[in-house]
Amino acid sequence: MSRNAKINGLLLLLVAALAVLPLALGLGDGKEEPFTGADAQAESAITELKPDYEPWFSPLYEPPSAEIESALFALQAALGAGVLAYYFGVRKGRRQGAAQALAQAEAAHSAPES
C-alpha cells in the first residue's frame, strides 16, 4: 500500500469518526433540535438575553419550510463547488497547454533542419 493510499484511508476514517462520534456519544440528547446551525443557536441566545431585541434587517426571502431552506443551501453549495472546480480545471488546463506548447516549440527549435 502506497503512502498516499494510507494517508487517504486515514483521512477517510477521520471524517467518518467526525460524523459518527457526536451521534454515538449522545451530544444532542435532551434538545428539541439537537444539531441546529449556528444562526439558530445565536438567535435563541439573543432572545434569551434580550427579549425585546429587534433585528436591523429582515431577510429578502423567507423559505416556506426548513426543507426548502436546506435544499436552497445545498444548491448554493453545489453551485459554489462547481464554480471552484471549473476555475481550477481551466487553470490546470491552461498550465498544461502552455507546458505542451513550450515542449513542442523546443522540439521544433532543436530538431535538425533537413
Side-chain angles (χ1 to χ4, degrees), residues 19 23 60 71-72 90 95:
L23 299 173
L60 297 175
L72 290 174
V90 166
R95 193 171 41 240

Side-chain angles (χ1 to χ4, degrees), residues 23-111:
L23 299 173
L25 296 176
L27 295 179
D29 291 346
K31 294 182 180 178
E32 186 176 318
E33 292 185 40
F35 299 107
T36 58
D39 291 346
Q41 290 177 353
E43 185 179 342
S44 65
I46 289 170
T47 54
E48 274 182 28
L49 295 174
K50 197 166 187 175
D52 58 336
Y53 173 77
E54 256 186 64
W56 292 359
F57 301 101
S58 61
L60 297 175
Y61 171 71
E62 189 73 36
S65 69
E67 290 82 12
I68 294 175
E69 185 175 359
S70 294
L72 290 174
F73 183 75
L75 178 65
Q76 178 185 358
L79 287 172
V83 167
L84 283 175
Y86 177 78
Y87 169 75
F88 286 120
V90 166
R91 197 170 153 195
K92 182 176 181 178
R94 285 183 182 166
R95 193 171 41 240
Q96 286 177 342
Q100 187 178 22
L102 182 64
Q104 286 177 351
E106 286 178 355
H109 191 274
S110 66

